[in-house]
Amino acid sequence: MKLLAFAATNSQQSINRALVTYAASQVNADEVEILDLNDFEMAIYSIDRENTSGIPEQAQLFFDKISQADAVLISFAEHNGTYTAAYKNIFDWASRINQKFYQQKPVIMLATSPGPGGAKNVLDTAVTSAPFFDANVVGSLSIPSFYENFDLEKQTLINEELNSQLISLVTKLNQ
């Protein structure tokens, strides 16, 4: 199995990047590719820009990464209760290639934040909308109070209950 994983943010110090990297290490996969959204930076989507210049190469590359994967693991950062601008822009461009953005891949959606909300708003938005974009959402998990539940030095989820839930969730990708 080839697993594609990414944090839906362009922050280099992203706690969601730490979470998705840890989660990906718990999947029994032959190959794991962890994307950095900074490698897919493009002009802000607009229909006028699309009509004038077409779809940017980076959008096609991102779409192709999903095509080549057997499963997708995403951890969503939350900005003002919703997607980060970086992720939303990539999603907007790539979904113009094909609205079936997730291409019926099994997808696990995660989210975390420093506070007790655990980026639950953006996670709920992502899970609710994913089927409209042809995702087979296997499950989702919000990790609240990241710094209390994750050891950045050891790069591991230290809350045993949350870790057990995460392990149980990612093993579904191997079924």
Side-chain angles (χ1 to χ4, degrees), residues 92-114:
D92 286 347
W93 275 113
S95 67
R96 295 299 291 175
I97 295 165
N98 186 333
Q99 187 176 350
K100 296 182 179 198
F101 176 81
Y102 291 109
Q103 306 167 52
Q104 197 50 50
K105 305 294 179 175
V107 179
I108 290 178
M109 297 183 166
L110 308 172
T112 192
S113 70

Side-chain angles (χ1 to χ4, degrees), residues 3-161:
L3 176 67
L4 180 69
F6 61 91
T9 177
N10 60 352
S11 170
Q12 293 298 313
Q13 291 78 38
S14 170
I15 58 178
N16 281 279
R17 183 184 313 242
L19 178 61
V20 81
T21 300
Y22 172 71
S25 76
Q26 303 305 304
V27 177
N28 183 17
D30 299 317
E31 183 180 345
V32 175
E33 182 174 9
I34 299 175
L35 298 182
D36 181 344
L37 293 195
N38 289 296
D39 295 336
F40 301 93
E41 192 170 311
M42 313 171 242
I44 294 173
Y45 176 79
S46 77
I47 191 68
D48 295 335
R49 187 170 280 126
E50 181 182 355
N51 288 338
T52 302
S53 304
I55 305 285
E57 180 181 350
Q58 295 92 332
Q60 186 66 58
L61 290 171
F62 193 85
F63 187 85
D64 291 346
K65 292 287 185 183
I66 293 173
S67 297
Q68 296 158 6
D70 297 308
V72 180
L73 180 60
I74 308 168
S75 190
F76 290 93
E78 185 174 273
H79 287 186
N80 298 318
T82 192
Y83 300 115
T84 64
Y87 172 74
K88 182 70 167 78
N89 194 50
I90 292 168
F91 177 78
D92 286 347
W93 275 113
S95 67
R96 295 299 291 175
I97 295 165
N98 186 333
Q99 187 176 350
K100 296 182 179 198
F101 176 81
Y102 291 109
Q103 306 167 52
Q104 197 50 50
K105 305 294 179 175
V107 179
I108 290 178
M109 297 183 166
L110 308 172
T112 192
S113 70
K120 189 91 171 94
N121 289 332
V122 70
L123 185 59
D124 289 345
T125 298
V127 169
T128 301
S129 69
F132 297 106
F133 300 98
D134 208 27
N136 173 14
V137 180
V138 174
S140 64
L141 180 65
S142 168
I143 306 295
S145 306
F146 179 81
Y147 295 105
E148 295 171 25
N149 292 308
F150 195 93
D151 185 330
L152 277 171
E153 188 175 305
K154 294 180 181 175
Q155 292 294 300
T156 189
L157 194 54
I158 55 175
N159 179 303
E160 290 181 27
E161 182 181 335

